[in-house]
Amino acid sequence: MTEGGRVFDRWLQQQPVEQPEGTLTFEALTDAGWVREEELLDQLGREVARNYVGPGELAFVFDDLGAPEVADYLRTNKFPARTMTRHGDFGEIVTGALYRRVRRWCVPVLKLRYKQTAAQAVQGTDVLAFRFRDDPPVVAVAEVKTRSRRDKQVASEASESLEKVLERLDESLAFLMARCADRQHFFLARHLGALQRPGARRKIHRHIVFVHDADKWNDDMVTLVAGVVTQPTELTAVKIKDLKEFVARVYWVAEAGLAPRTHGGEAA
């Protein structure tokens, strides 16, 4: 297991929860306090940077510039300036890492690398994860919502957004297939292409992930989601204390120059 995988395994731990009635299953994850803050911020800073910048691009810039210039490059060209955009991106980054590093799904593409500008969102499913070796192959379609305060509307918003991306799932699969082919990851591209063939056998798992301020969370959110979903759906709440300040610290670490070391490590 990579260093990042070990950190995520120790950082987010399951809490005991009551399961709602109906088609929803619920899991709550929270900081267990087993990872030193410096180590956690360092690893999350690297995770943020690698979601925006491919190893080759970052290595090229870092070879030609010093650390302050790299930080300025990341801040100007890659990291969103608006708090709302950062929070949305951070939720997708944590969710992708959760599926990839902890739940051991295949997440073939880090979608945020394909923004045309730092402020622009990439259309399509927030996170797509796969188990290609299952029969039939399984596709986890995850809709992610990040909130630093209580927002009861997010339950219906998440359910509606999930339905919309499911209707256009093949478009998201085609996007991933093209990106894998661009990177010459032909094994993944072939599997993604097979999922789009008429009549292809595939099993869809519906997922909603709330990345939420721990102190603002209330379990009535589970009841609200259970009341709007009509098909089997998995809900995960990732509860982070002082979420707004935490996200700001993570991005500061990513900007401060710790992130350039990622180009020597795992690539996605």
Side-chain angles (χ1 to χ4, degrees):
M1 184 187 298
T2 65
E3 179 184 355
R6 288 192 295 271
V7 167
F8 272 84
D9 274 337
R10 290 184 289 131
W11 174 40
L12 296 175
Q13 297 294 310
Q14 286 188 3
Q15 289 184 304
V17 298
E18 291 186 13
Q19 292 300 323
E21 296 182 2
T23 61
L24 187 74
T25 57
F26 175 52
E27 179 181 38
L29 303 173
T30 191
D31 186 346
W34 295 350
V35 183
R36 292 182 300 108
E37 181 175 295
E38 181 182 355
E39 180 184 8
L40 178 59
L41 292 174
D42 176 89
Q43 199 56 239
L44 285 173
R46 296 169 189 268
E47 192 69 30
V48 163
R50 70 189 295 272
N51 267 265
Y52 290 106
V53 188
E57 178 184 357
L58 190 55
F60 178 80
V61 174
F62 194 61
D63 285 344
D64 289 275
L65 301 173
E69 288 82 3
V70 171
D72 186 62
Y73 170 84
L74 293 171
R75 190 179 306 114
T76 302
N77 297 287
K78 296 296 178 179
F79 297 158
R82 294 181 66 233
T83 298
M84 183 179 298
T85 307
R86 284 194 174 195
H87 282 198
D89 286 1
F90 181 78
E92 291 188 24
I93 290 167
V94 167
T95 300
L98 171 65
Y99 279 81
R100 191 174 71 253
R101 298 185 182 278
V102 179
R103 294 178 173 173
R104 305 294 188 264
W105 290 73
C106 174
V107 181
V109 172
L110 302 180
K111 194 180 71 169
L112 295 178
R113 287 184 184 174
Y114 298 95
K115 286 187 171 191
Q116 292 183 324
T117 66
Q120 186 180 34
V122 180
Q123 299 301 309
T125 312
D126 289 336
V127 175
L128 278 176
F130 302 86
R131 287 187 172 143
F132 290 116
R133 298 188 187 280
D134 284 11
D135 186 18
V138 181
V139 185
V141 182
E143 176 65 25
V144 185
K145 298 295 183 185
T146 307
R147 294 293 187 272
S148 59
R149 56 181 176 78
R150 279 182 56 76
D151 176 11
K152 290 187 176 182
Q153 296 300 316
V154 74
S156 58
E157 289 174 6
S159 178
E160 290 169 8
S161 296
L162 180 59
E163 294 301 328
K164 288 178 181 178
V165 297
L166 284 166
E167 290 173 2
R168 304 180 66 173
L169 178 58
D170 281 346
E171 294 178 14
S172 294
L173 293 173
F175 173 83
L176 297 190
M177 182 184 68
R179 301 292 76 77
C180 288
D182 289 343
R183 291 153 45 205
Q184 299 187 348
H185 292 179
F186 298 125
F187 174 82
L188 292 172
R190 283 194 294 270
H191 277 289
L192 289 163
L195 291 175
Q196 300 171 66
R197 294 172 186 158
R201 296 175 65 244
R202 63 191 192 190
K203 185 174 182 179
I204 307 300
H205 281 193
R206 303 156 53 92
H207 296 238
I208 294 173
V209 180
F210 292 154
V211 178
H212 207 283
D213 188 291
D215 293 333
K216 304 298 192 301
W217 174 262
N218 189 300
D219 281 345
D220 64 359
M221 292 298 299
V222 182
T223 304
L224 291 171
V225 176
V228 293
V229 298
T230 58
Q231 297 185 50
T233 305
E234 296 182 24
L235 171 64
T236 302
V238 178
K239 298 186 249 183
I240 300 174
K241 187 174 178 59
D242 298 325
L243 178 64
K244 186 175 181 179
E245 293 76 13
F246 185 78
V247 173
R249 292 201 303 274
V250 170
Y251 272 83
W252 183 88
V253 169
E255 291 173 354
L258 293 174
R261 287 180 282 171
T262 60
H263 73 259
E266 177 187 352

